[in-house]
Amino acid sequence: MKAKQIIGIVVTGVVIIATGVTGVVSNIIRNRLIPEEDKASNFWGLEETVSVTLPAEDFVGVINVVGEIGPSSDSIWAYEEGTYNHDLYMEYVDEMMYADNNKGILLYIDSPGGTVYESDELYLKLMEYKEVTGRPIWAYFASQACSGGYYIGMAADKVYANRNCWTGSIGVIVSLMNCKDLYDKLGIKEIDITSGANKAMGSSGLDLTQEQYDILQSLVDEAYDQFVGIVSTGRGMDEETVRTLADGRIYSAKQALELNLVDAVGSLAEEKAVFAEEAGFSEDILYYEPEDMSLGFMSSFFGMLSELKPQSDTELAKDIMENNGNGVLKYYAE
């Protein structure tokens, strides 16, 4: 092993130990300052919270639906800037709901979609916000607003799309990875002790039966019907019209405008100007993007560290298996 590699390993070890000590110290401080009911366990077994601080002046809340939509991770490697943070945005909407100086929400969407559960949960939270406050929600579709991203955008009163945006992909997908032929070549046989014939369906070492295929298809169809209903409500279109458009295809911004899937094509600056005029607030109002104050330095640190952390072949294979063949219902554009 080269001297530089040894030095790198030692430095990394020192940094990780120092980080652990910092975490323990910050945990002790939080234990004194934060009520017990607001705490949640993190990767290290320490206590963490989702804490949002709102500005004192009038503001429009910005929710960045950027990247793949899914649950907030408790992994120390997940705290990267620019990734979707579901817990943060759910808490942010709750806080804005009862803040008199909040004047509305701007959804900035640049996402291929993601899990059905989190897409729907944020959509319902946004609809609750509108019902409680009566304040406007507008959406801006950046380079992509597909599937789950489009789904969340249906909570908006008006939708602008960048002229280069790809959007739509209205549909549902479940991806499974079948490795049975590979296992057979390697002499590996999967054995599952189950309580029923369909308990192990979708397992990578077994072929799906027709019954199991039909079961999964029924789940996809139910989530699809829900998606169609959301679009029908959000765009004021009858469901049959939506179904003719919702075959999973992606539309350009121009096509989406012609099909009434968006309201306008333009820049973010243009949307903000019209938003201010129609909502009746100043054009120079603060557009506020929240930060999870419970993470602070740790968020930036682990985001930086994650870029330096190499993945082994095994980790890469595991990542592919987990993200491309895990059998989770998704509103997602492949």
Side-chain angles (χ1 to χ4, degrees), residues 47-328:
E47 303 293 338
E48 287 289 1
T49 65
V50 175
S51 176
V52 179
T53 301
L54 301 183
E57 61 190 283
D58 288 352
F59 73 100
V60 172
V62 178
I63 295 179
N64 290 313
V65 183
V66 177
E68 185 171 345
I69 301 159
S72 299
S73 176
D74 61 357
S75 168
I76 61 172
W77 306 111
Y79 297 139
E80 296 180 66
E81 293 183 5
T83 57
Y84 178 75
N85 189 332
H86 185 71
D87 290 346
L88 174 63
Y89 295 135
M90 292 292 289
E91 177 66 22
Y92 187 34
V93 177
D94 270 333
E95 293 288 338
M96 288 189 289
M97 214 177 294
Y98 301 101
D100 292 337
N101 61 327
N102 168 251
K103 302 304 177 183
I105 290 176
L106 177 66
L107 298 172
Y108 181 88
I109 301 175
D110 194 356
S111 171
T115 54
V116 167
Y117 181 88
E118 279 73 23
S119 298
D120 187 55
E121 189 173 42
L122 182 56
Y123 167 83
L124 292 175
K125 179 61 68 177
L126 291 166
M127 295 301 287
E128 180 188 355
Y129 167 92
K130 288 205 298 185
E131 182 178 351
V132 170
T133 68
R135 300 172 199 150
I137 296 178
W138 284 35
Y140 184 75
F141 291 175
S143 65
Q144 58 179 337
C146 297
S147 215
Y150 187 80
Y151 188 107
I152 292 171
M154 291 301 93
D157 303 301
K158 187 162 286 189
V159 177
Y160 268 64
N162 182 281
R163 66 180 185 175
N164 296 308
C165 177
W166 284 4
T167 188
S169 187
I170 302 168
V172 188
I173 185 171
V174 170
S175 295
L176 300 171
M177 188 168 289
N178 189 309
C179 302
K180 188 175 184 303
D181 288 347
L182 175 61
Y183 288 177
D184 289 344
K185 288 182 180 180
L186 296 175
I188 299 171
K189 183 176 179 63
E190 178 171 334
I191 300 174
D192 298 299
I193 311 302
T194 67
S195 57
N198 296 314
K199 184 62 179 174
M201 69 177 179
S203 179
S204 62
L206 301 173
D207 288 325
L208 281 179
T209 65
Q210 186 59 50
E211 179 185 18
Q212 292 168 351
Y213 184 93
D214 292 341
I215 290 171
L216 292 174
Q217 185 65 59
S218 71
L219 299 177
V220 169
D221 291 344
E222 186 174 317
Y224 173 76
D225 289 342
Q226 179 175 286
F227 201 160
V228 168
I230 293 297
V231 176
S232 175
T233 300
R235 301 305 304 164
M237 302 164 64
D238 64 84
E239 290 197 3
E240 287 307 310
T241 300
V242 175
R243 288 181 189 277
T244 63
L245 305 175
D247 61 1
R249 76 181 66 186
I250 293 172
Y251 297 98
S252 68
K254 181 179 178 182
Q255 292 168 346
L257 180 62
E258 292 171 349
L259 295 170
N260 191 35
L261 293 174
V262 300
D263 295 297
V265 175
S267 69
L268 180 58
E270 290 170 342
E271 178 176 14
K272 285 182 176 181
V274 178
F275 191 11
E277 181 181 353
E278 293 195 11
F281 49 72
S282 172
E283 277 196 45
D284 60 358
I285 192 171
L286 173 65
Y287 282 84
Y288 184 75
E289 301 177 23
E291 291 185 16
D292 187 348
M293 302 307 294
S294 67
L295 297 178
F297 164 77
M298 302 295 280
S299 174
S300 301
F301 175 77
F302 283 123
M304 177 187 69
L305 203 57
S306 66
E307 297 178 2
L308 303 176
K309 174 179 175 285
Q311 282 188 297
S312 66
D313 291 343
T314 302
E315 288 173 323
L316 288 170
K318 182 175 180 288
D319 181 66
I320 292 171
M321 291 286 288
E322 288 180 347
N323 292 293
N324 296 294
N326 58 9
V328 175

